[in-house]
Amino acid sequence: MKFRICNPTDIRFGNGQIEALRELVPPNSRVLLLYGGGSIKSNGIYDQVMAGLKDSKVVEFGGVEPNPVYETLQKAAAVARENNVDLILGVGGGSVIDAAKFLATMVSLGSDDPWPDLAAGKLPATTLPVGAVLTLPATGSESNAVSVISSRERKLKLPFRNEAARPAFAILDPSTMQSLSRQQLENGVVDAFTHVLEQYLTSPVNAPIHYGYSETLLRVLAEWGPKLVETGGDEARENVMWAANQALNGLIGAGVPQDWSTHMIGHAITAVYNVDHARTLSVIMPSLMRYKAAQKQAMLARYGRTVWSITETDDAVAAEKAIEQTEQFFKTMGCPVRISELGLDFSPTDILEHLERAGQTALGENRDIDAPSVRQILSMAA
Ligand code: NZQ
Ligand code: ZN
C-alpha cells in the first residue's frame, strides 16, 4: 500500500536527559505542566523538570487520571486559556501524554465542549505545541499522534488522532522507571507487545522489512520484559523503553493491514469496568487469535517460528502453539488471560453496547469482526 511517514518528534533518550528541557523549551515560554496523580512529586521527577524549566513561566495542572477523563481536561483547557500558555508539557505515562495532546487540540478549537467535533474528525489546522517527559514505557504516545480519552458523561473511551498534536519533543529517561510498581512494568511490556501484534498478525503482504523489525521488537520484549520485572537494571529499562516507543511510532504499521480489534474491545472493558488497559488486552488477544486462527494462520505460524522458535512444520499446529506461547508470556508477565481472572460481574452486552456507541462494529483487518463475532470471542475468553 502507499504510505507517508512524518514523525518529527525530537527524541532525547537516556538517563539524565530531563535536563535537555533547558535546550528544548525556549526561554520565557509559558508552559502548562500537566501531570497525573502526583507520583512525579514523590520520585524526584518534578524537581528535575522544574530545574529544566527555570527560564519559563510554569502553570501546573495535576490530577489527570489513568485512562484520562475528558471532563477533567475541560478544566485544564480553561486554565490553559486563562494563562495564555504557549506549550503543553505532559510529564507521566500514556495517560498524561495522551491528555497533553488532546488538551492542545481542545485549546486550539476554542469551544468549551469540542468532543462532538473531535469525535467527528473535525480537527483544528494547528494546535499548541506539545512536549512529553515519559515516565512509563508502554503506549508509544510520546511520539505518536493518538490520544485515548474517556468521557464520563458519555460513558465512552475513544481513540482520537491529530497529527498536529504529535509531540514536538519527547524525553525518554529510563531512570524515571525506577519508581514504577511491578504491575505497571508488567502492563507496559504487555501493552507494547500487543501493539506490535496488532500491526503484524494480519494478512501476509510483501513487507519483509516491517515483519523483520516487528519480530525484533517482539523478541526484545519477550527477553527483556521478564528481566525488567525480575531484576530491573539499566539495560532492561533501556531496552524496554526503546522497544515500547518503536512499537507504536507509526513505522511498523505504515502501509500494511492492521487489526486493532483487541484494543477496541479492551477499551470497552476499561470504560465499563475500569480494568488496567494492558490487562484487558491480555484477556482478549489469545481468544481473538484463536477465533481468527484460520484467517491469520500464515502470520501466526511465522510469528511462532521467528519469535518463539517453534519448529512445527504444519502451519495450523504452529499457529496454535504460537497462541499458547503468547498466553504463557502474558502469564509470565503477571497478566490474566481469561476474563474470569479479573473478578468482575461481567456482561458481554455491556461491551457490545460500548462498541456500538463508539461506532466500532466492523473490526479487524477485513472489517469482519462484527457484534456476533465479538460475543463469540468474549465467550471463548470467559
Ligand atoms: O498518575 P501518576 O502519578 O502519573 O501515576 C501513574 C498511574 O497511576 C503511574 N506512573 C507513571 N509513571 C510512574 C508512575 N508511578 C511511579 N513512577 C513512575 N515513573 O502509573 C499509573 C498508570 O499510568 P498511565 O499513564 O495510565 O499508564 P500507561 O502508560 O499504561 O497509559 C495508559 C493509557 O494510554 C492509553 C490507554 O488506553 C490508557 O488510557 N493508550 C494510548 C495509546 C496511544 N496514545 O497511542 C495506545 C495504547 O494502546 C493505549 O490505548
Ligand atoms: Zn495499548
Side-chain angles (χ1 to χ4, degrees):
M1 287 193 262
K2 287 181 183 171
F3 64 84
R4 175 187 180 203
I5 290 189
C6 177
N7 191 333
T9 306
D10 181 347
I11 290 181
R12 305 298 173 100
F13 185 93
N15 292 346
Q17 283 281 27
I18 294 178
E19 66 184 25
L21 283 171
R22 287 168 211 262
E23 188 193 321
L24 292 163
V25 178
N28 306 315
S29 296
R30 291 181 306 279
V31 178
L32 183 85
L33 168 56
L34 192 71
Y35 61 94
S39 61
I40 64 164
K41 295 219 167 161
S42 50
N43 58 16
I45 295 172
Y46 174 84
D47 294 336
Q48 292 178 58
V49 168
M50 290 307 277
L53 295 176
K54 69 177 182 28
D55 297 327
S56 299
K57 178 179 181 319
V58 179
V59 180
E60 292 182 26
F61 189 97
V64 174
E65 306 82 358
N67 308 304
V69 171
Y70 172 69
E71 289 77 7
T72 303
L73 299 182
Q74 286 179 297
K75 293 180 192 144
V79 172
R81 286 193 195 106
E82 272 160 34
N83 290 281
N84 196 22
V85 301
D86 46 32
L87 172 76
I88 308 228
L89 181 66
V91 183
S95 292
V96 168
I97 298 172
D98 279 10
K101 294 186 283 186
F102 197 77
L103 179 58
T105 309
M106 285 173 86
V107 173
S108 307
L109 272 172
S111 140
D112 288 338
D113 185 16
W115 180 283
D117 279 349
L118 292 172
K122 288 185 202 151
L123 296 171
T126 57
T127 67
L128 280 176
V130 175
V133 177
L134 180 68
T135 65
L136 194 178
T139 61
S141 180
E142 66 278 6
S143 67
N144 71 33
V146 174
S147 295
V148 185
I149 305 294
S150 302
S151 167
R152 288 223 168 109
E153 193 191 312
R154 295 166 177 89
K155 297 189 171 57
L156 269 177
K157 181 173 186 182
L158 288 186
F160 297 84
R161 167 179 286 275
N162 181 6
E163 282 298 334
R166 212 185 261 262
F169 64 82
I171 295 179
L172 280 68
D173 178 340
S175 70
T176 60
M177 295 164 64
Q178 290 175 83
S179 54
L180 284 165
S181 67
R182 184 179 176 119
Q183 179 163 332
Q184 287 156 349
L185 293 169
E186 291 167 349
N187 286 351
V189 170
V190 167
D191 190 24
F193 197 86
T194 62
H195 292 160
V196 180
L197 291 183
E198 301 251 53
Q199 298 166 87
Y200 169 94
L201 280 181
T202 60
S203 334
V205 290
N206 184 14
I209 295 168
H210 296 64
Y211 296 159
Y213 196 31
S214 296
E215 287 152 6
T216 297
L217 294 172
L218 292 167
R219 280 195 298 267
V220 166
L221 289 164
E223 178 184 350
W224 289 92
K227 288 184 185 165
L228 176 69
V229 294
E230 288 306 330
T231 50
D234 277 337
E235 285 185 343
R237 286 191 285 269
E238 287 166 355
N239 286 332
V240 168
M241 193 173 236
W242 188 234
N245 173 272
Q246 298 290 294
L248 198 49
N249 70 350
L251 184 61
I252 59 168
V256 297
Q258 302 185 21
D259 170 8
W260 288 95
S261 48
T262 294
H263 265 73
M264 295 312 119
I265 300 168
H267 288 163
I269 297 175
T270 298
V272 179
Y273 300 106
N274 199 24
V275 175
D276 286 2
H277 172 62
R279 285 157 199 262
T280 67
L281 308 173
S282 62
V283 297
I284 296 301
M285 184 161 255
S287 297
L288 194 136
M289 287 185 198
R290 281 205 176 91
Y291 181 73
K292 283 286 174 198
Q295 203 171 305
K296 293 181 183 291
Q297 184 170 294
M299 289 307 288
L300 272 169
R302 176 180 169 133
Y303 157 64
R305 292 180 185 123
T306 55
V307 177
W308 298 115
S309 308
I310 290 167
T311 51
E312 174 61 51
T313 50
D314 181 278
D315 273 7
V317 180
E320 172 52 28
K321 285 188 186 248
I323 299 170
E324 285 164 16
Q325 288 285 344
T326 310
E327 269 177 339
Q328 190 48 51
F329 175 61
F330 290 165
K331 288 186 199 166
T332 303
M333 295 310 300
C335 285
V337 294
R338 290 294 179 276
I339 295 167
S340 56
E341 295 174 66
L342 297 172
L344 304 170
D345 185 11
F346 185 79
S347 152
T349 305
D350 289 343
I351 303 309
L352 290 165
E353 278 174 9
H354 185 281
L355 292 170
E356 178 79 39
R357 282 185 291 115
Q360 296 161 347
T361 50
L363 300 171
E365 66 272 29
N366 297 317
R367 304 266 160 265
D368 59 355
I369 301 185
D370 54 6
S373 309
V374 173
R375 198 174 274 283
Q376 182 63 30
I377 291 162
L378 292 174
S379 116
M380 290 166 70

